[in-house]
Amino acid sequence: MDDELISFNNVNKTFGKKVILDSINLSIPEGKITGIIGASGEGKTTILKLIVDFYKPTSGQVSYSKRSISKDIGNIKNLFGFATEDGSFHDQLTVYENIFHFGRLHHVPRKELGERIDEILKIVGLENAKNTLARNLSMGMKKRLDVAISWIHNPKILIMDEPTADLDPLLRSHMLDLIRKINRQGTTIILTTQLLGEMDKVCDKIAILFDKSIVESGTPSEIKNKYDSKELDDVFNKIFSQERKN
Amino acid sequence: MKSLMTIISKNIRVISRSKLSTSLILLAPILIVFLVGTAFSSDSLHNLKLGVYSGSYNELSETIISDLGSKQFVSEKLNSEEECVNAVKEAAIHACVIFPGDLSVSGNSESIVIYADNSRINLAYTIINEINLRISVKGSELGVVMAQSLLDAIQEARLALPLSKTEVDSSISNVDNIYSRSKGVYVDVSSIQSSINSSLSEIEDTLGDNSSSALDADIASVRAKLAELGDVKNDVGVINATSKETSEKLASVSESLDVLIDRIATISVSNAQDIVLPIKTEIKPVTKDSTNWKYLFPTLVALITLLSSMVLSSSMVFAERKAKSHFRNFMTPTSDFSFVLGTYVTCLLVIGLQLLVLFSGTVYLTSISISGVVGQLLLVLFLAASSFIFIGMIVGYIFKSDETTVLASISISSLLIFFSNVILPTEIINSSLKYLAIYNPFYLTDVLLRKVILFGSPLASLSEQIFILVGSIVVLFVFTVISRKMTKRSL
């Protein structure tokens, strides 16, 4: 069994009276790429934000190394990097300034920062845009900038919310390569997507979120075998049909 | 500390990237100094329109109207009292003065009535005072003329009365002489009567029966003359009594004259002005320069500090919360304290720059000097800006939309301005709400800036207000950090 890094134990999350997540049980292994699949509005982003304690669970517990994240977040915050779906940076700053700014806020020493930024910009393919204002970047570049910022402090866990959304096929392919590259450096990656084919390609573990709960989790091949399908799309369709009958 | 510097440098970089913001920060204070300084550079009111009405104008009312018109008032005669009052309501004129038809120096049955728009509180009393002053001056002029004629009459009496007194005393002496002489005549006549009567009786006794009819007739004739002498005696008696009474009355007049002379002698006032205005008042400004601009400047600085700080800090916090970077800020291991302090210091630097431009412009363009009070001024402005920035930050953290944030900033600023001396004096605030003014940072700022800029007060005399401001800053800072903690998870 893989080393469990993050776990959800019977986690419920409601906003007001609206139930978003219901009895979520999930284990995220260290050093792997874990994908959370679900339709739009199923609560994938909520799961990611529960991991970093941006949202507090209504009930249940989210743990990091068996310790409650809520109680320990002050000490472990710097272990996380979070690339958001829409990009989370300052539009009025350049690519370089954005990465530098958040690098400093993540306590990356000033001496190392310049070198680290150049290295990351090369990896994410933004070395030629380092002096461009963030608001002038294309959608794909913004996604890559967000990944670069999330990764600047070399986090142990990189969370990526819909990293391939709104990207053309070529950029999607580049993004998936980038995810693999980052993972190869020992970073645990948790990502969400609606594009199931991509999950098959990059994820070591998959969790399928349906109707507010995790209905399946395991390696892509385990899940496909269980549902006797060659593609994850088929698995999802079968789960969707089965749940509707129930 | 490293995070703090990072946040501040990012904030300044973001602000400086907006050309509009930078121009506004630098040019707005200069523009304000130029416009307000030029507009309020005099020390009096201008072009005040005055409506006047009287049922019957006379020389006195015309003189007063003409006198008012020659000062800063432009007077216009209206056709009725109602028209005059309506003109005030419609703001066509600033005040309306109604003169009674029988206005005269010898007193009139009705008063001069002044109608003013009290809803313009700061102007109404100024106008009323000006009109009252002009009418009082005219009244005083007339009073002086009347008082002078009184003084002249008194002076004449002062000279004439002693002469009259001498004459009265001389008359008393004469009358007394008449009294004593008439008394002597009376006694003599009585004696003569008695003596003749006695002689006649002796003659009659001697003659006895030898008396002849002719002799009896002579004796009877003598007796008739004696009876007439009795009438003379009675007349002398009356003269005697009358002269005594006259002497007593003249003595009384003489005493009254003595009192009157003594009273007039004690009147030391010889100047008519002293009777009309026995107590002289003189209003002297406590500051050397008396232009409206100088009086206005401390309040203008307080207002700019308040509005700039409130709007800048609230919009900066709100923009940070609503920016895409908000979630990223949450993800960094930077404390709430650092974020609050970062925003605060950035706002302080921007406001500081604005005030630097404002004061530089003021010193360069106007006669106001702050060279002797730079230390106190910096301290007061630092404390004032700090308190307003924290209030603005709390607003930015609490409210959830751009509109409500701006609205709340304006509302709170308005409230702070209302509970100060800027619009209405705090002395008219209900006593139960007066503490709102006492602890109002804007009120304290206004008071402190007036003390420092207008009177050059030393630091020691500012300690009470400074102590309250420091206390409010501590409380506001704690509330700001709490607001940040409570809202940092909401988008």
Side-chain angles (χ1 to χ4, degrees):
Chain A
M1 189 183 159
D2 297 315
D3 290 339
E4 183 183 80
L5 191 64
I6 294 168
S7 62
F8 281 68
N9 299 310
N10 279 320
V11 172
N12 295 292
K13 180 66 188 169
T14 58
F15 288 113
K17 288 181 179 175
K18 190 177 179 187
V19 179
I20 305 298
L21 298 171
D22 185 18
S23 302
I24 300 290
N25 288 294
L26 177 65
S27 164
I28 293 166
E30 188 173 1
K32 306 286 184 189
I33 301 175
T34 302
I36 298 166
I37 303 170
S40 179
E42 280 287 358
K44 301 188 291 295
T45 304
T46 305
I47 286 181
L48 300 184
K49 287 187 173 172
L50 281 164
I51 294 173
V52 294
D53 199 45
F54 188 77
Y55 294 148
K56 301 272 185 194
T58 307
S59 64
Q61 183 172 286
V62 184
S63 309
Y64 169 82
S65 290
K66 314 281 185 201
R67 295 209 309 266
S68 166
I69 283 180
S70 283
K71 287 177 186 164
D72 221 17
I73 191 66
N75 300 322
I76 62 172
K77 217 173 197 177
N78 223 17
L79 298 177
F80 293 97
F82 200 123
T84 61
E85 184 179 0
D86 302 320
S88 185
F89 43 75
H90 296 287
D91 279 334
Q92 304 94 322
L93 298 184
T94 65
V95 168
Y96 185 90
E97 286 167 349
N98 259 304
I99 304 173
F100 184 89
H101 171 71
F102 286 109
R104 294 294 296 146
L105 291 187
H106 277 291
H107 308 320
V108 179
R110 190 181 279 269
K111 283 181 191 168
E112 297 171 19
L113 203 50
E115 205 177 313
R116 174 88 178 135
I117 292 172
D118 288 339
E119 183 190 336
I120 285 183
L121 285 176
K122 206 173 279 180
I123 294 171
V124 300
L126 287 175
E127 66 268 41
N128 294 328
K130 67 190 278 187
N131 294 321
T132 307
L133 285 180
R135 64 169 173 242
N136 295 336
L137 296 173
S138 69
M139 181 58 79
M141 290 165 105
K142 282 181 179 173
K143 289 256 181 202
R144 280 180 281 158
L145 170 59
D146 212 47
V147 172
I149 294 170
S150 313
W151 197 29
I152 185 63
H153 58 293
N154 205 8
K156 192 172 179 181
I157 303 144
L158 180 60
I159 297 166
M160 305 174 90
D161 193 9
E162 306 277 3
T164 54
D166 302 322
L167 298 183
D168 62 46
L170 185 64
L171 284 176
R172 259 204 316 265
S173 169
H174 285 163
M175 184 58 80
L176 293 175
D177 286 344
L178 179 61
I179 290 167
R180 283 193 203 97
K181 263 187 211 173
I182 295 170
N183 176 243
R184 274 201 292 274
Q185 294 191 13
T187 307
T188 301
I189 291 178
I190 306 161
L191 57 87
T192 63
T193 185
Q194 296 175 55
L195 303 170
L196 305 182
E198 290 168 359
M199 291 293 199
D200 210 355
K201 287 176 195 166
V202 297
C203 291
D204 302 304
K205 184 175 179 178
I206 286 170
I208 299 175
L209 183 64
F210 186 85
D211 197 21
K212 304 177 185 73
S213 300
I214 301 287
V215 290
E216 282 297 345
S217 73
T219 65
S221 53
E222 279 172 357
I223 292 174
K224 282 188 282 187
N225 288 341
K226 185 177 174 183
Y227 286 88
D228 195 20
S229 301
K230 285 183 181 175
E231 301 291 337
L232 280 174
D233 284 334
D234 292 336
V235 174
F236 197 76
N237 286 334
K238 282 177 182 172
I239 290 170
F240 186 69
S241 312
Q242 196 177 327
E243 291 293 329
R244 282 189 78 180
K245 280 177 193 169
N246 294 340
Chain B
M1 190 63 191
K2 287 174 188 169
S3 299
L4 184 64
M5 292 307 293
T6 305
I7 293 166
I8 294 166
S9 80
K10 183 269 297 175
N11 287 342
I12 290 173
R13 194 165 278 149
V14 167
I15 291 171
S16 65
R17 292 257 154 89
S18 166
K19 288 190 178 72
L20 188 67
S21 311
T22 316
S23 334
L24 206 67
I25 289 166
L26 296 174
L27 294 178
I30 290 284
L31 197 69
I32 290 168
V33 170
F34 180 73
L35 287 177
V36 181
T38 310
F40 297 94
S41 59
S42 73
D43 60 351
S44 57
L45 299 166
H46 300 283
N47 295 326
L48 292 175
K49 289 182 189 167
L50 196 65
V52 291
Y53 171 74
S54 176
S56 163
Y57 291 98
N58 58 24
E59 194 186 339
L60 183 57
S61 54
E62 291 287 4
T63 312
I64 294 173
I65 292 166
S66 154
D67 197 38
L68 283 170
S70 65
K71 308 293 175 185
Q72 66 252 59
F73 293 100
V74 178
S75 57
E76 183 188 351
K77 282 183 181 172
L78 297 169
N79 298 323
S80 67
E81 183 170 347
E82 193 185 357
E83 184 187 345
C84 199
V85 172
N86 283 338
V88 175
K89 287 179 187 170
E90 289 160 11
I93 55 174
H94 291 95
C96 164
V97 185
I98 307 293
F99 293 95
D102 60 348
L103 185 70
S104 74
V105 291
S106 56
N108 36 282
S109 55
E110 291 173 47
S111 309
I112 295 175
V113 180
I114 304 168
Y115 289 100
D117 181 6
N118 275 29
S119 63
R120 297 183 70 184
I121 286 176
N122 49 358
L123 184 64
Y125 288 105
T126 310
I127 292 174
I128 291 168
N129 284 341
E130 281 294 321
I131 297 171
N132 255 334
L133 184 68
R134 303 287 163 221
I135 295 173
S136 297
V137 166
K138 191 68 202 167
S140 298
E141 284 172 12
L142 296 170
V144 166
V145 171
M146 290 189 285
Q148 189 58 55
S149 67
L150 270 177
L151 282 174
D152 290 347
I154 289 170
Q155 184 59 25
E156 278 173 26
R158 193 198 299 269
L159 297 171
L161 282 178
L163 294 174
S164 303
K165 156 86 173 144
T166 309
E167 284 175 11
V168 168
D169 287 346
S170 165
S171 300
I172 291 170
S173 171
N174 292 340
V175 171
D176 283 348
N177 195 21
I178 291 167
Y179 170 71
S180 62
R181 285 183 177 225
S182 64
K183 197 174 178 183
V185 170
Y186 185 84
V187 171
D188 288 347
V189 169
S190 294
S191 171
I192 289 167
Q193 269 185 313
S194 174
S195 172
I196 290 171
N197 266 326
S198 171
S199 296
L200 285 174
S201 295
E202 278 176 18
I203 291 168
E204 281 174 338
D205 288 341
T206 307
L207 289 176
D209 294 332
N210 298 325
S211 180
S212 65
S213 59
L215 201 59
D216 287 342
D218 288 340
I219 289 171
S221 171
V222 171
R223 286 196 188 278
K225 294 292 177 187
L226 271 177
E228 283 177 18
L229 193 61
D231 290 341
V232 171
K233 191 187 86 173
N234 286 341
D235 287 345
V236 170
V238 169
I239 289 168
N240 183 255
T242 306
S243 63
K244 189 182 181 187
E245 191 184 332
T246 305
S247 175
E248 282 170 2
K249 283 184 179 172
L250 281 171
S252 172
V253 170
S254 177
E255 276 174 26
S256 297
L257 279 172
D258 283 337
V259 172
L260 212 54
I261 289 166
D262 287 346
R263 287 285 300 276
I264 289 174
T266 58
I267 297 172
S268 58
V269 185
S270 58
N271 188 351
Q273 191 77 35
D274 294 341
I275 295 173
V276 177
L277 289 170
I279 299 170
K280 289 189 177 66
T281 54
E282 188 179 2
I283 299 166
K284 281 192 175 177
V286 286
T287 51
K288 289 174 192 167
D289 193 347
S290 60
T291 61
N292 288 328
W293 161 245
K294 181 153 187 181
Y295 296 145
L296 198 64
F297 185 65
T299 304
L300 183 77
V301 173
L303 275 171
I304 290 174
T305 312
L306 168 73
L307 296 173
S308 298
S309 304
M310 288 282 289
V311 172
L312 180 71
S313 58
S314 62
S315 58
M316 211 162 142
V317 166
F318 186 78
E320 189 84 38
R321 278 179 64 206
K322 293 295 165 184
K324 288 194 286 185
S325 54
H326 174 66
F327 179 71
R328 176 81 52 219
N329 286 336
F330 173 84
M331 285 304 298
T332 63
T334 309
S335 65
D336 296 317
F337 182 81
S338 295
F339 278 111
V340 167
L341 221 54
T343 308
Y344 160 71
V345 174
T346 308
C347 291
L348 204 59
L349 289 173
V350 173
I351 302 301
L353 181 65
Q354 268 203 317
L355 291 173
L356 182 69
V357 174
L358 179 81
F359 276 97
S360 305
T362 303
V363 170
Y364 183 72
L365 295 171
T366 73
S367 60
I368 291 175
S369 169
I370 52 162
S371 54
V373 291
V374 173
Q376 298 96 302
L377 197 59
L378 281 175
L379 178 67
V380 171
L381 290 173
F382 165 73
L383 295 175
S386 298
S387 56
F388 301 145
I389 288 168
F390 284 130
I391 295 172
M393 287 177 72
I394 293 169
V395 169
Y397 281 125
I398 289 175
F399 290 92
K400 289 186 174 177
S401 79
D402 211 354
E403 292 80 7
T404 49
T405 304
V406 172
L407 204 66
S409 298
I410 293 170
S411 304
I412 292 171
S413 301
S414 308
L415 200 68
L416 294 179
I417 291 169
F418 264 106
F419 280 90
S420 73
N421 280 320
V422 172
I423 296 174
L424 300 172
T426 50
E427 284 72 16
I428 65 169
I429 296 174
N430 187 318
S431 59
S432 59
L433 289 174
K434 211 156 198 166
Y435 71 94
L436 280 177
I438 295 164
Y439 296 105
N440 172 1
F442 180 72
Y443 167 76
L444 295 169
T445 304
D446 189 38
V447 169
L448 285 169
L449 285 175
R450 294 179 76 79
K451 280 186 178 181
V452 172
I453 296 172
L454 295 180
F455 312 119
S457 302
L459 202 58
S461 71
L462 313 175
S463 56
E464 188 188 337
Q465 284 91 359
I466 284 179
F467 181 74
I468 300 173
L469 260 187
V470 170
S472 68
I473 289 168
V474 172
V475 172
L476 289 167
F477 177 71
V478 171
F479 273 110
T480 310
V481 175
I482 291 170
S483 310
R484 155 91 195 171
K485 279 186 184 295
M486 286 172 68
T487 57
K488 67 178 177 181
R489 286 184 166 81
S490 62
L491 289 172

